[in-house]
Amino acid sequence: MGKKSLLATRLLCWCSLVVVVFLLLLLTAPALALPLCTDSRAPVALNGTLSFCGGNGGTSCCGAAADAALRKQFEAMNVSDAACAGVVKSVLCAKCNPYSAELFNSSSKIRTVPVLCNGLSSASSAQSKDSTQNYCKLVWETCKNVTILDSPFQLPLQGGAGLPSSSSKLTDVWQSESDFCTSFGGSSDNQSVCLNGNEVSFSSTEPSPTSKGICLERIGNGSYLNMAPHPDGSNRVFLSSQAGKIWLATVPEQGSGGILQLDEASPFLDLSDEVHFDSQFGLMGIAFHPKFATNGRFFVSYNCDRTQSPNCAGRCSCNSDINCDPSKLGTDNGAQPCQYQVVVSEYSAKVSSSNVSEATSANPSELRRIFTMGLPYTAHHGGQILFGPTDGYMYLMMGDGGNKGDPFNFSQNKKSLLGKIMRLDVDGVQSKSQIANLSLWGNYSIPKDNPFTDDSDLQPEIWALGLRNPWRCSFDSDRPSYFYCADVGQDLYEEVDLISKGGNYGWRAYEGPYIYHPEWSPGGNTSLNSINAIFPVMGYNHSALNKNIGSASITGGFVYRGSSDPCLYGRYLYADLYASAMWTGTETPASSGNYTSTLVPFSCSKNSPIPCESASGSTLPSLGYIFSFGEDNNKDVFLLAYKGVYRVVRPSLCGYTCPTEKPATNNGTSPSGSSSLASGKRIGKLALVMAFVLCALCF
């Protein structure tokens, strides 16, 4: 082939590559927002009006000190033009906006200016093109010829820093409005929120059609407490029982008529000799290291009895560091204080080659004891563990330790780890002397950006506080900043919280949205004015359920990202333990952090591989108890119930109507793309593969 022919071929390939990448960009879903500040904390309620940035009522990311600092910065700019001064003030005060984390977010640089609504936004950003969407143009037209000292509108250097400048006009730096808005406008970053003056503009993306009901199929008879998808991306999952065993199972394709495939007699790991199993105790959580595919590391959270196991020897959570005397706790159901303990241990897959995916069992010996802590009472200890999808740290959910009303107020005690969500670095190995010197509860290290860096009263392990008994938390796989935790209530209310850095979720000053009045409080009370409580985004009153069934108790779920039921897409699913009710939570409007919960019916598919049982006197299937939800690598959602494993399937199989459901394929499954967003992501991945193939063929 001649040089000209080779050049032409390569040029053609480059053109094809550009087209493929363009398709990829078109099909990529925009990021979605959450009320969150630039320091990853939730905004707090204002008691009054900020003297500079205003904001009477509502929430803000600024206190008086931050507001004063912004005033000082503004005054130093010496903006002589009144109209431009007003615009610059709005831009500076965006730091106080409850959505400032998203407004100033950028994967490529640190923004000194928030995303300005741009009338030239692409269609994929779903921003309406009214006057508020041209705020970037307004900023340009108002300030382009005005001198601004230490202007924030500087050409960013690589790494995010602006050019040093004593004074400048916009026209000194930018040649045109187009150049200016390419850098600061909403279209360049495809944001879901942008600044339109003193307010933010949300994405106008329409939610999926309302679900008429949730259709389930029963694919297993076993009773499990945890499910984790195999990190290799296959159709396998790990299931664990409360009694202490973990199995590796294969999930059948939807519509195949198959059931879960696992060998009950050959568990992946059997810890039943180590685990103390009772109604409130057992193997509570499993989590696989983000690099499990190469290192084979995984972690188990369970309870032990110090009277039965010499390895069950952690410090008591009631100790002098938190002004607690174990002798004053008394016994609970015959158990001494801190007889039962919560443990997080590290194990490894047993492999004979470098391919961890081939492992069908684990090494039975513990590699490392990550965490051990004695529990004051016999209930409310959570125990779930998760790895953050973006930071790679372990999150450990811990309840208040039990007894009605958290009498010793552990949840609000910043020195206690009870009633908290902890964030631990399990990649940092510590020596025994380091563990002792740092007063750690095991072999882990503290992430440097944990909230204690801003609040010296807070124990370093703590990420969030004010929880009663967090029962099943999850990250939204499409929006990892959305961290949902269901928290079991006391007498009145079951709640779902959106967890943020340093957030205080109120217990026991509040039970959900209600002020809580403890019957007994030897540990003292917390003043309502002393905390900035973050209230639930979803939940339900106990009075909303049938009292004949039992006390209400929430089971947290997942944001549905599967393709079988497009009417559930993007909605958070949660249920009551007693299997009498299930809800969907919808963010309204999208990206606002405001939710509407809907009680939805559910039933069993006529094609269920294992027939479902019927509940006497009810149209609902008999599930027994809904212990947990699960999610596999296909983003299908499962219910882990007393009477088996159930999967969410196409709504038409139960007679429910979803206008966007597509006809089933030959094997009875929904075709890829039942959700347009899910379809876009799959096609986007295909486009990326095509791009690499083109490069390989051409070069």
Side-chain angles (χ1 to χ4, degrees), residues 301-522:
S301 168
Y302 64 91
N303 301 116
C304 63
D305 181 348
R306 73 179 184 190
T307 66
Q308 302 296 319
S309 172
N311 295 324
C312 191
R315 280 187 291 152
C316 186
S317 56
C318 172
N319 55 57
S320 58
D321 292 344
I322 61 170
N323 297 316
C324 182
D325 182 355
S327 66
K328 295 182 179 180
L329 295 180
T331 60
D332 185 18
N333 293 321
Q336 295 295 320
C338 295
Q339 175 179 332
Y340 300 118
Q341 311 212 343
V342 60
V343 173
V344 178
S345 290
E346 178 180 345
Y347 292 87
S348 65
K350 183 186 294 183
V351 291
S352 56
S353 68
S354 59
N355 188 357
V356 176
S357 291
E358 294 178 355
T360 57
S361 64
N363 294 306
S365 299
E366 177 186 67
L367 283 182
R368 182 165 50 134
R369 181 63 59 91
I370 302 297
F371 186 92
T372 311
M373 185 174 73
L375 300 165
Y377 299 109
T378 60
H380 305 172
H381 48 84
Q384 185 186 11
I385 48 176
L386 294 171
F387 278 99
T390 57
D391 59 23
Y393 293 127
M394 176 183 284
Y395 291 78
L396 168 59
M397 278 43 91
M398 184 67 65
D400 65 12
N403 209 328
K404 184 174 182 179
D406 187 13
F408 288 88
N409 205 16
F410 292 130
S411 289
Q412 288 299 323
N413 189 327
K414 293 183 177 182
K415 295 301 182 185
S416 170
L417 297 184
L418 295 169
K420 311 299 191 296
I421 294 175
M422 287 171 268
R423 183 173 180 252
L424 312 175
D425 181 355
V426 296
D427 289 331
V429 178
Q430 305 281 4
S431 67
K432 288 185 178 180
S433 60
Q434 287 175 314
I435 293 172
N437 292 337
L438 296 172
S439 297
L440 301 179
W441 297 82
N443 203 328
Y444 57 87
S445 56
I446 305 294
K448 293 181 180 179
D449 59 342
N450 270 10
F452 79 99
T453 56
D454 303 316
D455 184 350
S456 59
D457 291 333
L458 209 60
Q459 277 294 100
E461 292 88 348
I462 295 172
W463 183 253
L465 66 155
L467 286 305
R468 181 176 178 270
N469 190 26
W471 190 250
R472 296 329 188 202
C473 306
S474 65
F475 291 92
D476 182 352
S477 59
D478 272 19
R479 306 178 300 177
S481 63
Y482 281 63
F483 181 18
Y484 297 87
C485 270
D487 195 20
V488 178
Q490 179 72 62
D491 298 319
L492 296 175
Y493 197 81
E494 304 295 307
E495 66 186 80
V496 179
D497 298 309
L498 271 176
I499 303 300
S500 58
K501 178 181 179 179
N504 189 330
Y505 295 88
W507 175 252
R508 71 172 162 73
Y510 293 93
E511 180 186 358
Y514 306 116
I515 296 173
Y516 183 75
H517 301 284
E519 297 176 3
W520 179 50
S521 54

Side-chain angles (χ1 to χ4, degrees), residues 644-666:
V645 178
Y646 300 79
R647 174 167 54 185
V648 175
V649 294
R650 295 187 298 116
S652 59
L653 292 174
C654 291
Y656 299 129
T657 302
C658 176
T660 51
E661 180 185 351
K662 293 185 178 180
T665 58
N666 291 336

Side-chain angles (χ1 to χ4, degrees), residues 592-653:
S592 67
N594 297 316
Y595 285 80
T596 301
S597 287
T598 304
L599 182 67
V600 292
F602 59 95
S603 57
C604 206
S605 166
K606 58 186 178 183
N607 298 331
S608 179
I610 302 174
C612 297
E613 299 177 29
S614 299
S616 177
S618 172
T619 58
L620 299 175
S622 176
L623 307 182
Y625 301 97
I626 300 176
F627 295 130
S628 294
F629 285 78
E631 185 183 57
D632 67 3
N633 285 313
N634 288 327
K635 304 306 176 187
D636 282 330
V637 169
F638 299 77
L639 276 68
L640 307 183
Y642 177 75
K643 293 189 176 181
V645 178
Y646 300 79
R647 174 167 54 185
V648 175
V649 294
R650 295 187 298 116
S652 59
L653 292 174

Side-chain angles (χ1 to χ4, degrees), residues 78-130:
N78 196 26
V79 184
S80 58
D81 182 87
C84 180
V87 167
V88 171
K89 178 181 177 181
S90 294
V91 169
L92 291 180
C93 287
K95 282 285 181 71
C96 300
N97 193 282
Y99 297 89
S100 59
E102 189 71 16
L103 286 171
F104 286 87
N105 178 52
S106 173
S107 59
S108 59
K109 59 183 181 295
I110 301 171
R111 300 188 68 101
T112 58
V113 172
V115 179
L116 306 177
C117 291
N118 184 2
L120 300 177
S121 295
S122 64
S124 63
S125 70
Q127 302 277 4
S128 61
K129 297 182 180 179
D130 57 24

